[in-house]
Amino acid sequence: MELQNRQTINIFLSSDDNYAKYIPVLLESIYCTASADYDYKVTIADANISDNTKNSIANSSRNYSNFIITYVDINNIVNKYKDLFVTFAHFTVSTYIRFFIPDILPDVSKAIYLDIDLLIKSDISKLYEINIDSHIVAAAVDACYARELYYNKNNAISYSEKILGLPKGVPEFNAGVLLINLNKWREENITQKCIEKLADIGRPRVLDQCILNAVIEQDYIYKLPVEWNYVWHAQLEGLKPITKSSVFNEVIKEYNDKIDQIKIIHYTSSVKPWNIYSSHKDIPVIRYLAEDWWRIASKTGIFTQLLASSQSYINTQDKKSNLNCVKRIYFFNLRFFKIKQLENCKTYYLFNIPILRVKTFF
């Protein structure tokens, strides 16, 4: 769709096909909270996203006004640096592409980078409007790595100070939500510095996030309030204040104070709303934050596919655990959504109303 003659907010995403299927939920959350005063251009760095997934994204966003979605093939970047782009756990090579945003968007001076595992709960134009003329990025502290630093988990102090070169006691920012001054990034040659630092470290603990923290000087980082990047990993781990650490306590206090003012939920760690483990679903805050994601997902055109893929994941976990599949609820039972398996019939409920019934065979 053609955008009107208004200021455009550039939003940048990067994904392979595994994570791209969740893009419609992120886009729906952006659209539901978006200001009508702006146009929105979403650029998706395409690490082999399938045509079927692109069609799903297009169908889910076909009625969005003031939005345009484009794809950029990044295989040339991945192939050039494939020996540098180490990955592990749930990370993929597409995470490194944020190094190259200024090159991919050469005519853009300011952009918002977003991870895929996010949910936007507030008007993102308010983030865009923050003045970062004298900064390279605006980013929020990561509470989990602040804790690692305090406890010196996995020798975090030495890694932070000697490998990354961060000042003593300064925790990393989380790179899942970034407001970027692309002009200043280019002036400071940050892309090349990132590549050189990655080659130097070899296997950074949090991949590109560590590299960005190592390369961008503290004076160039605008400290975002945590509500703009609320990592739910902090709630999964049950962070609590510690009397001996004023810095860490300030971070935790901010997390506790902002629980009802979250602007962006970041579903960090391998635990996501679509694969949440039964051991986590009973944590009230986690249940609440997961429900937010599914509530938005229910508005998209891929809702039934998400239900099916989530159920497939739960079934896999059940088989590994040798649990009886009959006459019990498989999926985490949210206040508004659940999946129930009875004999040879699987029923999907939304607000306790059966919306889909499928025969199953064991």
Side-chain angles (χ1 to χ4, degrees):
M1 136 183 339
E2 289 294 327
L3 300 182
Q4 302 301 313
N5 187 25
R6 288 178 293 193
Q7 185 175 4
T8 298
I9 294 178
N10 279 277
I11 299 171
F12 192 93
L13 315 177
S14 180
S15 183
D16 62 6
D17 200 46
N18 291 321
Y19 266 82
K21 62 184 175 183
Y22 304 111
I23 288 178
V25 183
L26 173 59
L27 293 179
E28 180 71 18
S29 71
I30 295 173
Y31 179 72
C32 286
T33 56
S35 167
D37 297 332
Y38 289 90
D39 292 324
Y40 298 82
K41 182 176 182 180
V42 180
T43 301
I44 302 175
D46 178 4
N48 298 315
I49 301 174
S50 69
D51 288 340
N52 284 340
T53 301
K54 289 179 181 178
N55 288 337
S56 293
I57 294 170
N59 289 335
S60 289
S61 60
R62 65 184 182 276
N63 294 322
Y64 292 175
S65 57
N66 308 325
F67 269 68
I68 187 169
I69 299 171
T70 62
Y71 293 86
V72 176
D73 189 314
I74 57 170
N75 282 316
N76 59 328
I77 297 175
V78 172
N79 291 334
K80 182 176 180 179
Y81 297 104
K82 61 183 178 181
D83 293 334
L84 280 180
F85 292 169
V86 296
T87 60
F88 52 86
H90 58 286
F91 298 105
T92 66
V93 294
S94 60
T95 190
Y96 290 102
I97 301 304
R98 74 193 88 192
F99 290 169
F100 304 93
I101 296 175
D103 299 325
I104 296 172
L105 304 176
D107 300 321
V108 177
S109 60
K110 189 177 185 181
I112 296 173
Y113 169 85
L114 299 174
D115 276 352
I116 306 303
D117 56 347
L118 300 172
L119 192 75
I120 311 304
K121 292 172 61 67
S122 186
D123 181 3
I124 206 167
S125 71
K126 301 302 181 184
L127 172 62
Y128 183 83
E129 290 169 354
I130 294 175
N131 187 336
I132 57 167
D133 289 346
S134 59
H135 300 84
I136 294 175
V137 297
V141 65
D142 194 315
C144 297
Y145 296 108
R147 186 184 70 164
E148 285 197 2
L149 195 62
Y150 175 79
Y151 282 113
N152 198 23
K153 186 178 179 181
N154 299 320
N155 204 23
I157 293 176
S158 177
Y159 177 78
S160 178
E161 296 177 13
K162 296 180 180 180
I163 303 300
L164 301 185
L166 292 176
K168 183 177 180 179
V170 173
E172 293 185 19
F173 63 76
N174 183 283
V177 176
L178 298 174
L179 176 62
I180 309 174
N181 181 339
L182 297 177
N183 286 338
K184 203 158 190 67
W185 182 297
R186 298 182 188 105
E187 290 172 9
E188 298 296 326
N189 201 21
I190 298 300
T191 297
Q192 185 59 35
K193 290 177 181 177
C194 285
I195 294 169
E196 292 172 357
K197 191 65 177 180
L198 180 58
D200 179 45
I201 294 179
R203 188 179 173 85
R205 293 182 179 180
V206 199
L207 305 187
D208 54 308
Q209 176 171 300
C210 286
I211 301 303
L212 290 169
N213 274 271
V215 165
I216 302 175
E217 297 177 10
Q218 292 297 304
D219 289 344
Y220 285 147
I221 303 170
Y222 181 99
K223 305 300 191 297
L224 277 181
V226 299
E227 61 262 34
W228 280 113
N229 187 2
Y230 196 96
V231 297
W232 87 333
H233 196 186
Q235 296 295 345
L236 283 170
E237 297 191 356
L239 299 179
K240 296 180 180 179
I242 300 170
T243 56
K244 294 182 179 179
S245 174
S246 59
V247 173
F248 182 63
N249 286 346
E250 287 174 6
V251 173
I252 298 309
K253 184 179 185 303
E254 191 174 8
Y255 265 78
N256 291 335
D257 289 348
K258 300 298 184 179
I259 186 63
D260 295 321
Q261 303 172 44
I262 300 174
K263 293 181 171 61
I264 298 178
I265 306 173
H266 191 175
Y267 299 101
T268 45
S269 82
S270 59
V271 181
K272 310 294 184 186
W274 55 85
N275 70 7
I276 192 168
Y277 305 100
S278 59
S279 59
H280 295 122
K281 71 179 177 60
D282 293 326
I283 302 174
V285 174
I286 294 303
R287 185 184 178 104
Y288 161 73
L289 297 177
E291 285 178 347
D292 273 353
W293 190 88
W294 280 103
R295 186 173 292 106
I296 296 299
S298 70
K299 299 179 180 180
T300 69
I302 61 163
F303 184 49
T304 53
Q305 292 107 297
L306 291 173
L307 294 179
S309 62
S310 296
Q311 179 61 29
S312 175
Y313 174 85
I314 297 300
N315 282 338
T316 301
Q317 296 301 310
D318 288 342
K319 290 175 184 177
K320 289 181 180 178
S321 303
N322 294 317
L323 297 175
N324 184 1
C325 290
V326 181
K327 291 186 178 180
R328 68 184 177 81
I329 296 176
Y330 279 102
F331 201 63
F332 59 105
N333 183 3
L334 301 176
R335 284 190 293 271
F336 75 100
F337 166 65
K338 66 182 178 182
I339 300 173
K340 191 173 183 179
Q341 176 74 49
L342 294 174
E343 300 296 343
N344 294 327
C345 183
K346 183 189 304 176
T347 305
Y348 297 82
Y349 293 84
L350 186 63
F351 299 107
N352 285 323
I353 300 172
I355 60 171
L356 182 64
R357 190 169 283 113
V358 180
K359 288 185 177 181
T360 57
F361 302 94
F362 300 102

